[in-house]
Amino acid sequence: MTIYPPANVLVQKKACSVNPLKSSAPLGAAMAFMGMDRCQPLFHGSQGCTAFGLVLLVRHFKEAIPFQTTAMNEITTILGGIDNVEQALVNVAKRAKPALIGICSTGLTETRGEDVAPELRLIRQRNPELQNTAVVYASTPDYVGGMQEGWAKAVSAIIEAFVPARNQAAPLTPIRGQVNILAGVHLTAGDLEELREITDAFGLEAIILPDLSGSLDGHVPDTYCGTSYGGTSLEDVACMGASVATLAFGEHMRKPAEDLEAKTGVPSRLVLNATGIEGCDRLMVMLSEISGRPIPPRFRRQRSQLVDAMLDAHFHFGGKTVVMAAEPDLLLAYSTLFNDLGAVIPLAVSTVSTPSLQRVPAATVQIGDLEDLELGAKEHHADLLVTHSHGRQASARTGIPLYRVGFPQFDRLGSAHRATLGYRASRDIVFEVGNLFIEAMPNHLLRHGHDEHGDHSVHHEGACGCPGTLEASHGCSHSASC
Amino acid sequence: MLKQKLADVFNEPGCEKNQAKSDKDRKKGCTVKGLTPGAAAGGCAFDGAKIALQPVVDAAHIVHGPIACEGNAWDNRHAASSGPELYRMGFTTDMSELDVIYGGEKKLWKAIKEVIAKYDPPAIFVYQTCVPALIGDDVIKVCATAAEKFGKPVIPVNAPGFAGSKNLGNKLAGETLLDYVIGTEEPDDARPTDINLIGEYNLVGELWQITPLFDELGIRIRAGITGDARYHDVACSHRAAVNMLLCGQAMMNVARKMEERWGIPYFEGSFYGIEDTSASLRTIARLCVQQGADADLIERTEALIAREEARCWERIRSFTPRLQGKKVLLYTGGHKSWSVISALQEMGMEVVKSSVRKATDSDKSKALELMDGDAEALVGAIPNPEMYRMLRAGEADIMLSGGRTQFVALKARTAWLDINQERNYAYAGYDGMVELVRQMDKAVNNPVWQRVRRPAPWDADFTGFDA
Ligand code: SF4
C-alpha cells in the first residue's frame, strides 16, 4: 500500500472535453427521485434532455423509466416556463396518480434564471387535482457539477420539503433503534440491500433515503405501474426526525446530512467510504456504537473472509498499474481498495473537485474526461482501466482490459446488483479484479508462476508447488512436471 | 437565421402531407404542434441532427453546450462504420457556469483548435444546443472563422434542442449538408450507376445487408447520406446519377434540392420488407438506365429479384413449423406494417392486433385487406396498462414494438422483439426479413416463458411441481 500525501488535484485546462466521464446533474437528481416510492421525475426543460436521460437509465437498469418533461421550447423559455410546469404537474398527476412528482431544472431554464420553488404553492392552490400528489423541486443546472451533485441537491430538496422541522416546545421522542441512512449515488441497489441486512443485524431499523433497492432493483411487480414502483415513502421521510442517528454515505451527502441535522437535531455521521477493510471496520464500529450492540459474529467471519481474499489476491494486484475514472466518492471507494492490495494508481480522473479527492491514493488526480484516462493509460503502461462502460472505446484502442464501475453500464447485465459496500462485497470485488489480472497473464506464467503463489506458502510439496492431489481444485494442468 | 431555416423546412413542397395543408397550417410547421408538458419525451432537434450527421464516420462531431447534451448521450447510437471510428468519440465544450455568464464562443473556438491539432479530421461538425443558443453564442460565426483559419471545413449545425423534435433536427441536418457540404468537392470517377442513399444511417450495419445486391448489379453507393459515409463522398454526392430517399420524409429537402440544383432524379423507397426491397431495386435500375447506364441493368435486376425473393420466401417458410399458430401483437407506428403482416401470415402466425397510429390511408387499407377486413384488429394507441393486461392474459405470444414498450411486455412475461431504432439486429433487405423471422423464433420459442410464467410455490394458483 502506498501512502500518498493529499492528492494533487489538477484542474481541467482543455476547452474540449473528449469522451466525457460526467453525466448531468439533472439526471442525478431524477435518479434520486426514482428512489422515492410511486414517484414521477419531471425535467423542467426541453424534451431532449429528458429523452437522453431516460434512454441512458433504461440502458443501465434495463427497466422502464417514467421520466416526463415540461416540454419547453424557445418561446416558453424566454417568456418563462411556469405555465408549462403547471400543465405538466396537472397532466402527470391526472394520468399516473403518483405520490410524488420530483422536478429537476435543467441548463435551459436555469440560464433564464427561473425559480420554480416559490410558485409551487400557488400552483397547488390553483389545481385541486394536485391534492393527493406531493411536489418537490431541485435546482440542478446542467452546467454545475455532475450526477453526484444533482443527486445531493435532490436529497436536500426532499429533506427541505418533507421532513418536519423540530418542534422546540414538543420535540419528538426518538424511536429506539431507528436510524436514517442518506445513500449517495455511488451506492447501487445491491449496496442498499446489503446495508439493510447489516443494520438489521445490529437490531437497527433503517430509513434509507433515497432507496433504489425498492424501485430499481429489477423485480417484476404484479401489476402495471406507470411511476417508480418502490422506494422511500413520504411517510418514512416524515419520520426521519425521530431517528437516533443519521449515517450519510459519501462526501456528497454531507450537505443533505447537515440539512437534516439542522432541521431535526438528529446527530449525523459521515461514512466517507465503506469499501475495503478499513472503511468497513469504521462502519461496523459506528453501527456498534449507535446500536449499543457488539459486532455480530457473521461480520467477524466476513471480515476474516475478506482478509483471506486479500491474502490470496495480493500476488496479482501487487505492482499492477491501474488508471481509473469515476465521480469522486466512487473513485475513493475503488482506489482505496486497489491501493490496499498493492496496485499503483498513477492517475485517477474525476468529474468535480471535492474534498473526497484529497483522500484518493493516486499520484495525480485530474479533473477531466476519458481522453485523459486513455492517454494516462498509455503513458503509464496501465494493466487495467477502471471506469464506466464508456471506457470500452479506450479499452479497445489500447488493448487494456476494462473493469466497469459506476454509471452508466449499458453493456453489462445486473449492474444494479453489484455491491461495493461491506466486507462481503469488497471480497467479491477483490476476486473479480484478481481474476481479470490472472486472465491477462501470459500462459507460461499461469502454468508455473504467480497464480500458484497462494499455494506455495501452504503446501510446499512438488518442485513447482503443485501437489498432484490439488490439481483439479486449482486448475494446474502440468502434472507431468509435478 | 434559424427562423428562416425553420420556415423553409416546414414549407417542404415535396412533402405530401404538407401539400394537403392550408396555408395557415403550413406556417405553423409540421412539428411545433409538438409536445404536451407532462408527456413522455422524444428526442430534441439537436438529437435528430446528430443522428443524421454523426454517421459521417471520419469527421469529428463537437457538441457546444453543457454536459447534458453530449455527456448523457455519446456513443449511444448504433450507426456502424466500415472504417474510421472518430465519429464515435464524444467531443463537447462541457460549458461551465462561467461560460454561461461570459459566453462560450471563445471556448468553442479553442475546442475546435484542439480537436484539429489532436485528431486532424477531414471535417468538423459543430452542434449548437439550447443554452448557448439562449445566451446568443454565434456558432455560425465561430465556425466560419475557424474554417478560414484552419483551412478545413468546420460546419455549424444550428439545431438547438428547443427548436423542435428529432424529426425537425433531421431536416435541419439536411439543410446543413446542402449549405456546407454537398457539391463542395468534385469526384474524378462519376458513373451513371452511382447512387446516393439519403436518410439511411447504417444503423446496426443494415446497409451491409443491401450492399451485396448492389455490388452484384454493378451499382455503386456514391454516398450514404449519411450511413457509413466519408466526408469526401458526401461532398461529391452531387455527381451521383440517382437519389433514393429512405425513411419517411425526414430528409426530403435534401433529395428535392439536389434534384433542383444538379438534376438528380430521386424516388422514395424502403428496404424493409420483401415487396419494398424489390420495388426499390427496380426503380433504381430504371432511373440509372434513364441516366445513361446500360439497358441490361433492368433485366439483370429482375433476375436478381426473382432469385432473391424465391430464396427469401423459402427461408421464411422453413420457420413455419416453429411459428405457425403463434399470436403476434404488432405495435409499430403502422407505417408499412402490412409488409410485416404478410410475412408473419406466410408462416401461419396470427396477427391479433396491429396498430396503425401513424399509418397512411393506403397502409391502412392494405393492412385491412390482409387482416380479412377485420377493422377491430387495426388499433390506434394502446395505453400501457391495457397493453400489459392483454399480454399478461396471454392474448399474444409475442409483441413486436419499439423500445418504449419493451418493459411492458417483459414485465408481463411475454416475448418481445424490437423492430424500431434501438434494436441490436439488422432487418433490411431480403436477408433482413429472414433475420427478423429468425429473431422472432428465438424469442417466442425460448423455454424461459414457461419458466417465468409459472406461479411461485406460495402463490394461490400454484399446482405443484412437474412429475
Ligand atoms: S433539449 Fe437542448 S439542452 Fe436538452 S439535450 Fe437537447 S439540445 Fe441539449
Side-chain angles (χ1 to χ4, degrees), chain A residues 46-49 52, chain B residues 44 46 69 129-130 160-162:
Chain A
S46 194
Q47 56 174 329
C49 309
F52 283 147
Chain B
C44 61
F46 154 68
C69 316
T129 63
C130 296
F162 62 26

Side-chain angles (χ1 to χ4, degrees), chain B residues 134-189:
Chain B
L134 193 66
I135 62 172
D137 278 2
D138 190 342
V139 171
I140 297 177
K141 190 186 75 197
V142 176
C143 288
T145 325
E148 204 181 303
K149 174 91 194 285
F150 302 118
K152 70 168 68 207
V154 181
I155 299 146
V157 185
N158 196 12
F162 62 26
S165 69
K166 196 144 103 174
N167 190 287
L168 172 69
N170 287 163
K171 288 179 208 245
L172 290 171
E175 289 296 313
T176 305
L177 291 174
L178 288 163
D179 290 350
Y180 292 92
V181 186
I182 300 173
T184 56
E185 292 180 37
E186 286 299 331
D188 52 13
D189 61 343

Side-chain angles (χ1 to χ4, degrees), chain A residues 362-377:
Chain A
T364 304
V365 177
Q366 166 84 55
I367 303 305
D369 51 39
L370 297 181
E371 182 191 53
D372 297 321
L373 182 82
E374 188 170 343
L375 293 176

Side-chain angles (χ1 to χ4, degrees), chain A residues 65 70 108 174 183 206 303 328 391 423 454:
Chain A
I65 301 292
T70 58
L108 185 64
R303 185 181 195 279
Y423 296 121

